[in-house]
Structures are given as C-alpha cells and as structure tokens.
Amino acid sequence: RETIIDLFDGRQTYTLHHPNLEQRTLDFAAKQHRWSMGSKSIQTHFLNEKTPTAYDNFWIQLPYIQYQDQRILLLDHERLLPSDQKLEVDYLLIHNSPKINIADVLKAVSPQCIIFDASNRFSQIKEWKIECEESNILYYDIQKKGAFIATF
C-alpha cells in the first residue's frame, strides 16, 4: 500500500511516489489508467524530494503541490502542519498513518476535501472519518472507494 499521485496535463503525466516503489507495483496501480488517459510522457518526482520544481501547470515544493489552480497538501508522519497561519487548500492528502487528530489538523489547515490513501491503517482511517463527519468535512477513503479521481 503505497502513495501514488498522478496528475494529467494533456498527454503529459506528473507522478509522485516513494523512491523505493517497485516498478511492477507502480504498473499494477497506475498503468491502465495512464493508458486510458492517453499519457505519452511521464515526469517522475519522489515523495522525499527537497528541491522545488515548477512546470507550466504544475508546481511542487513538498509538502505542497499546485496543479493548475488546485492546491494540495500532503500530510504524513514526517511533515509538520503549518503553524504561522491557517492554510487554505483544495485537497489534504493524509498518508503513512501520521499520529494526528482531525480537530488539530483543522486548526492549521482549511481543506475542501480530506483524502485518506491506502497507506494509512484501517483503524486510523475509521477514527478520522468519524472526526470528519463531526466537523462536517468532506472526505474520501481510497481503501473503500478506490483511486481518487478529480477533473479540473
């Protein structure tokens, strides 16, 4: 259960994943969808990169990603929440089971939708979903619903 993020810009695909992800695991998870989207070129980035990168419609400085006008924040056990001011994002992707509670997250981040990917523990996602419902926050559980697909 690994985190894989694919962003499609025409036939160009920007992908982010862990550097140790095996190619066969990546192919199993993403190859069919990439093919169906007409992907011809893939630009790979890793979830541990420190260097900011920018393209025409894609900008990354982890834990922040911007694709077109959509802002994405990645949250895991290695990345701290912003503390100086509340950050507004379109999507908050929680991965690798960080020890957090949603109430604390919402003090620092104002997301339109929280995404729980399959790298999180099932029991933790269950708790987070209850917290999201109590806070009236939209969420998406990849373990239950499969790949999160958004069109912008």
Side-chain angles (χ1 to χ4, degrees), residues 88-102:
E88 298 212 15
V89 297
D90 297 289
Y91 302 100
L92 172 63
L93 174 64
I94 300 177
H95 66 112
N96 293 335
S97 294
K99 292 180 174 141
I100 57 162
N101 64 59
I102 298 299

Side-chain angles (χ1 to χ4, degrees), residues 13-29:
T13 302
Y14 303 102
T15 188
L16 293 96
H17 58 78
H18 193 276
N20 296 332
L21 182 67
E22 292 183 17
Q23 186 63 45
R24 66 186 171 139
T25 303
L26 179 62
D27 287 346
F28 178 79

Side-chain angles (χ1 to χ4, degrees), residues 30-79:
K31 193 172 190 174
Q32 183 68 29
H33 187 66
R34 290 174 178 173
W35 178 80
S36 72
M37 294 294 292
S39 179
K40 297 292 184 196
S41 174
I42 299 172
Q43 182 67 46
T44 300
H45 295 275
F46 299 114
L47 291 170
N48 63 352
E49 287 183 10
K50 306 275 189 244
T51 306
T53 304
Y55 301 96
D56 289 340
N57 293 321
F58 174 69
W59 174 86
I60 179 172
Q61 183 173 359
L62 293 173
Y64 307 103
I65 300 169
Q66 181 159 342
Y67 177 67
Q68 297 178 3
D69 63 344
Q70 301 297 300
R71 295 156 301 168
I72 305 163
L73 175 63
L74 306 181
L75 181 61
D76 64 15
H77 58 277
E78 297 177 5
R79 296 184 176 92

Side-chain angles (χ1 to χ4, degrees), residues 125-142:
I125 292 174
K126 187 176 177 181
E127 291 175 22
W128 291 334
K129 287 164 65 172
I130 292 168
E131 290 182 74
C132 283
E133 289 168 2
E134 290 171 350
S135 299
N136 205 24
I137 297 293
L138 182 65
Y139 65 84
Y140 188 92
D141 179 358
I142 290 175

